Amino acid sequence: MKRLCIHTITTKPWSTEDCIRRYAEAGAGGITFWRYNLDGRDPAAVGKQAKDAGLDIVSLCRGGFFPAKTAASRQEAIDDNRRCIEQAHKLGAPLIVLVCGAVPGQSLEESRKQITDGLAAVLPDAEAAGVKLGIEPLHPMYADDRSAVNTMRQANDICDALGSPAQVGIAADVYHIWWDPELQHQIQFTAANDRLFAFHICDWKTPTTDLLNDRGLMGEGCIPIRQISDWVDATGFTGHREVEIFSNRYWSMDQGEWLGMIKDSYNELYGCV
Amino acid sequence: MKRLCIHTITTKPWSTEDCIRRYAEAGAGGITFWRYNLDGRDPAAVGKQAKDAGLDIVSLCRGGFFPAKTAASRQEAIDDNRRCIEQAHKLGAPLIVLVCGAVPGQSLEESRKQITDGLAAVLPDAEAAGVKLGIEPLHPMYADDRSAVNTMRQANDICDALGSPAQVGIAADVYHIWWDPELQHQIQFTAANDRLFAFHICDWKTPTTDLLNDRGLMGEGCIPIRQISDWVDATGFTGHREVEIFSNRYWSMDQGEWLGMIKDSYNELYGCV
């Protein structure tokens, strides 16, 4: 259970404090905070609270959204990512997960160029703060306005374009990449280049009724999660398995009951009864 | 306007006869029938009606759905595709568009193998009937239960695995493939191998509120349709541009008004005022 990490968005109705307390009580090993968790709070205090509860702070979600139609807006995004790096540093999060961004009507090539430029701009800040940046390839159904990076290959290409800095890598989420015929190879390649920074799990429901907020609990969908997870572990990855589930259905449940379901599903998947 | 073809599903509320009459009146050059159009009708009579109205019969949608968990179900799919080939032959459609199928919980690799086997089984029938089979790669968001073929590369791989028969090729729909970083290359490769059988257009709306039935009219989304269309034409493709739009929103409109919007959008896109 120590490799189980939960993203606070998975239990969105809970406060930051509730998430920390309840995840720790449930025996999870780690927590990934979302930035809204820090609203009106001192990141260092939140970080201390999590550590005192025995939780590893796995990452801070999310930076990114670099592309924009105007230079001024792109600069705003860079400034916001710098603030995010500072927050992560104070929080004690070693990693920021990046949803890289896309602009409807702007070519994906141009957006990827702007993402690369944005990363280059904030890289010195990340290095100075000792915070890593994890590019999360998003499913191609989010290529319109969320991410022009839709495969691990594209994320690796951006790492290459930046000159393979140790600070930049990839956050692999099964929801986004399970369909990719290159997946096993890309996981191996990513790890071999010391870029496999994070591993997120959930499931793909049939039918999926909402493009954003209808993700499934592990085991109720079609993603071969255990197979992908084994590919990840076979590279030597020993990091957390992060449960990140956006779901209107589950958010409307009693969140304690929902956390119990997550724990059961995780235990069934990994056989850690 | 002669390259404009409309899929009957685009005006789903209309009867087969209404589609033929109204598309011809609107000046479209072609029609793609869906199989439901043939329910209770003689395909040859429907085909004659369309030709008499001056419309090219571009294709019949849709065959495929080859993968299944049992051999008996896979045989049923093969039998159904044989019936579809016979219908297309009688209708006078030179092409069947294939939504290849997928089975939640079955690996995509296994589904692709079953698709290849299914195609091999019906290929002699297609050859005898003079009907081509167009594999339509579907967007990765349909990899759970609609198609294990999600990129043009995978469709080309299947053509290769079959030994590149002249009867099997690809139906390229911008909705499914616009995000693919290999797209231009794959269009060129497909055409160079005489496999570019069909070209479908519509748009991707932001936001998209339904995974199936919220497609956009050309121009209201983020797909660089004209650019992709130019890549297609640059290969020497002179076939129809087929408007295929599933949309609860547009289906609830007056369909005559909707057809006018399609025509205007097509004219604006291709400058054929």
Side-chain angles (χ1 to χ4, degrees):
Chain A
M1 285 284 287
K2 297 317 282 181
R3 292 184 70 184
L4 168 61
C5 165
I6 302 172
H7 280 233
T8 55
I9 192 124
T10 303
T11 58
K12 197 169 73 166
W14 274 347
S15 69
T16 306
E17 293 70 23
D18 280 346
C19 288
I20 293 171
R21 183 170 55 84
R22 301 296 291 263
Y23 297 176
E25 284 172 7
I31 186 167
T32 280
F33 289 103
W34 274 53
R35 284 184 83 184
Y36 67 79
N37 291 122
L38 306 178
D39 288 348
R41 293 178 176 86
D42 169 21
V46 172
K48 181 173 185 308
Q49 210 178 331
K51 280 175 220 154
D52 288 349
L55 294 171
D56 293 333
I57 300 169
V58 178
S59 61
L60 178 60
C61 269
R62 55 197 190 187
F65 287 102
F66 292 109
K69 287 208 173 159
T70 68
S73 297
R74 292 194 291 278
Q75 186 58 49
E76 275 173 35
I78 287 168
D79 294 343
D80 186 59
N81 277 277
R82 287 186 172 133
R83 282 191 294 274
C84 189
I85 289 167
E86 198 183 316
Q87 285 178 310
H89 176 69
K90 288 181 178 163
L91 178 66
L95 172 68
I96 292 172
V97 175
L98 302 172
V99 169
C100 290
V103 181
Q106 174 168 289
S107 80
L108 296 173
E109 291 73 15
E110 177 60 26
S111 288
R112 285 192 284 270
K113 188 182 167 303
Q114 294 179 0
I115 290 164
T116 308
D117 291 347
L119 278 165
V122 302
L123 183 55
D125 304 80
E127 284 167 344
V131 172
K132 293 189 172 190
L133 304 173
I135 300 169
E136 182 170 16
L138 253 56
H139 194 284
M141 74 182 174
Y142 301 121
D144 55 341
D145 67 345
R146 277 185 168 69
S147 182
V149 182
N150 307 109
T151 62
M152 289 188 75
R153 176 183 286 266
Q154 290 176 323
N156 272 304
D157 286 348
I158 289 176
C159 293
D160 289 344
L162 290 166
S164 289
Q167 221 68 19
V168 181
I170 297 175
D173 183 323
V174 298
Y175 193 74
H176 300 299
I177 58 180
W178 74 275
W179 59 273
D180 185 347
E182 287 193 332
L183 185 55
Q184 183 177 12
H185 167 73
Q186 286 296 325
I187 286 170
Q188 290 166 347
F189 180 86
T190 301
N193 286 275
D194 298 321
R195 293 173 185 167
L196 190 50
F197 286 179
F199 180 56
H200 298 183
I201 55 176
C202 70
D203 216 334
W204 183 288
K205 287 171 53 209
T206 303
T208 291
T209 59
D210 186 283
L211 277 81
L212 281 176
N213 297 324
D214 191 31
R215 297 194 188 180
L217 178 62
M218 297 82 74
E220 69 172 337
C222 64
I223 301 180
I225 306 171
R226 183 57 195 256
Q227 180 182 55
I228 299 171
S229 199
D230 287 347
W231 291 341
V232 165
D233 283 359
T235 68
F237 181 87
T238 56
H240 289 84
R241 295 150 179 160
E242 306 180 41
V243 177
E244 182 190 33
I245 301 176
F246 308 157
S247 167
N248 292 324
R249 188 171 47 119
Y250 290 126
W251 289 332
S252 70
M253 276 183 59
D254 174 90
Q255 295 296 285
E257 201 180 315
W258 168 222
L259 182 57
M261 288 168 63
I262 292 169
K263 197 174 155 176
D264 290 347
S265 157
Y266 182 88
N267 283 338
E268 189 164 343
L269 184 59
Y270 293 107
C272 44
V273 192
Chain B
M1 285 282 287
K2 296 317 281 180
R3 292 184 70 184
L4 168 61
C5 164
I6 302 172
H7 280 232
T8 54
I9 191 122
T10 303
T11 58
K12 196 169 74 167
W14 275 347
S15 69
T16 306
E17 293 71 22
D18 280 346
C19 288
I20 292 171
R21 183 171 54 85
R22 303 294 293 264
Y23 297 176
E25 283 172 7
I31 186 168
T32 278
F33 289 103
W34 275 53
R35 283 183 84 185
Y36 68 77
N37 292 121
L38 305 179
D39 288 349
R41 292 180 177 85
D42 170 21
V46 171
K48 182 173 185 311
Q49 210 178 330
K51 281 176 218 153
D52 288 350
L55 295 171
D56 293 333
I57 300 169
V58 178
S59 61
L60 178 60
C61 268
R62 55 197 190 185
F65 287 102
F66 291 109
K69 289 209 171 158
T70 67
S73 297
R74 292 194 292 278
Q75 186 58 49
E76 275 174 36
I78 287 169
D79 294 343
D80 186 58
N81 277 278
R82 287 186 173 134
R83 281 192 294 275
C84 189
I85 289 167
E86 196 183 317
Q87 284 178 311
H89 176 69
K90 287 181 179 163
L91 178 67
L95 172 68
I96 291 171
V97 175
L98 302 172
V99 169
C100 289
V103 180
Q106 174 169 289
S107 80
L108 296 173
E109 291 73 15
E110 176 60 25
S111 288
R112 286 193 284 269
K113 188 183 166 302
Q114 294 178 0
I115 289 164
T116 308
D117 292 347
L119 278 165
V122 303
L123 184 56
D125 304 79
E127 284 168 345
V131 171
K132 293 189 172 190
L133 304 173
I135 300 169
E136 183 170 16
L138 253 56
H139 195 284
M141 74 181 173
Y142 301 122
D144 56 342
D145 67 345
R146 277 186 167 69
S147 182
V149 182
N150 307 109
T151 61
M152 289 188 75
R153 177 183 285 266
Q154 291 176 322
N156 272 304
D157 287 348
I158 289 176
C159 293
D160 289 345
L162 290 166
S164 289
Q167 220 67 18
V168 181
I170 297 175
D173 183 323
V174 298
Y175 193 75
H176 299 300
I177 57 179
W178 74 276
W179 59 274
D180 185 348
E182 287 193 334
L183 185 55
Q184 185 178 12
H185 167 72
Q186 286 295 325
I187 286 170
Q188 290 166 345
F189 179 86
T190 302
N193 285 275
D194 298 321
R195 293 173 184 167
L196 190 50
F197 286 179
F199 180 56
H200 298 182
I201 55 176
C202 69
D203 216 333
W204 183 289
K205 286 170 55 209
T206 302
T208 290
T209 60
D210 186 283
L211 277 81
L212 280 177
N213 297 324
D214 191 30
R215 298 194 187 179
L217 179 62
M218 297 81 74
E220 68 172 337
C222 63
I223 301 180
I225 306 172
R226 182 57 195 256
Q227 180 181 56
I228 299 172
S229 198
D230 287 347
W231 290 341
V232 165
D233 284 358
T235 69
F237 181 87
T238 56
H240 289 84
R241 296 149 177 160
E242 307 180 40
V243 177
E244 183 191 33
I245 301 175
F246 309 158
S247 167
N248 292 324
R249 188 171 46 121
Y250 289 126
W251 289 331
S252 69
M253 276 184 59
D254 174 89
Q255 295 296 286
E257 201 179 315
W258 168 222
L259 181 58
M261 289 167 64
I262 293 168
K263 197 174 154 177
D264 289 348
S265 157
Y266 182 89
N267 283 337
E268 189 163 344
L269 184 59
Y270 293 108
C272 43
V273 190

